[in-house]
Amino acid sequence: MSVKDNWKNTGKGLGKSFAGVGKSIIKSVKVGADRILDEEPRDENGNVVQTDLRESWSEVGHSFGNTGKSLGKAVSGTAKKVVKKVDEVDETPVE
């Protein structure tokens, strides 16, 4: 994968991660408000329906983890390219 692709994946991953954070925050606020107002969703037997907050926040964590890996690859690839260019310049004969 090229350095450009790694940076592209990093950007997409950041967008996806922050979108996930926003959605999870909204979901958390709704669940909290429902609990405060005693309006938690219930099934036909009157039992409280479990929320999927844990899964939602877990997805956010995994998304940030994958984005971090992409960022590391992008930075590493960029650094290698810079070192290679510097080495090429150093080897150029001085006239």
Side-chain angles (χ1 to χ4, degrees), residues 24-57:
S24 293
I25 288 172
I26 290 169
K27 200 177 284 188
S28 295
V29 169
K30 182 180 179 338
V31 168
D34 287 347
R35 285 183 182 164
I36 290 171
L37 299 172
D38 200 28
E39 296 177 0
E40 294 177 290
R42 299 184 181 273
D43 63 12
E44 61 276 352
N45 297 329
N47 299 322
V48 176
V49 176
Q50 294 295 317
T51 64
D52 62 342
L53 285 179
R54 184 177 303 243
E55 292 82 17
S56 179
W57 282 106

Side-chain angles (χ1 to χ4, degrees), residues 1-11 70-71 73-75 77:
M1 184 174 284
S2 72
V3 173
K4 181 179 178 180
D5 290 336
N6 286 331
W7 280 111
K8 190 175 182 180
N9 286 341
T10 300
S70 292
L71 177 62
K73 289 178 184 178
V75 169

Side-chain angles (χ1 to χ4, degrees), residues 1 5-18 57-75:
M1 184 174 284
D5 290 336
N6 286 331
W7 280 111
K8 190 175 182 180
N9 286 341
T10 300
K12 287 180 179 180
L14 282 171
K16 180 181 176 188
S17 296
F18 283 108
W57 282 106
S58 178
E59 287 176 23
V60 169
H62 288 291
S63 180
F64 271 111
N66 291 335
T67 300
K69 284 189 346 187
S70 292
L71 177 62
K73 289 178 184 178
V75 169

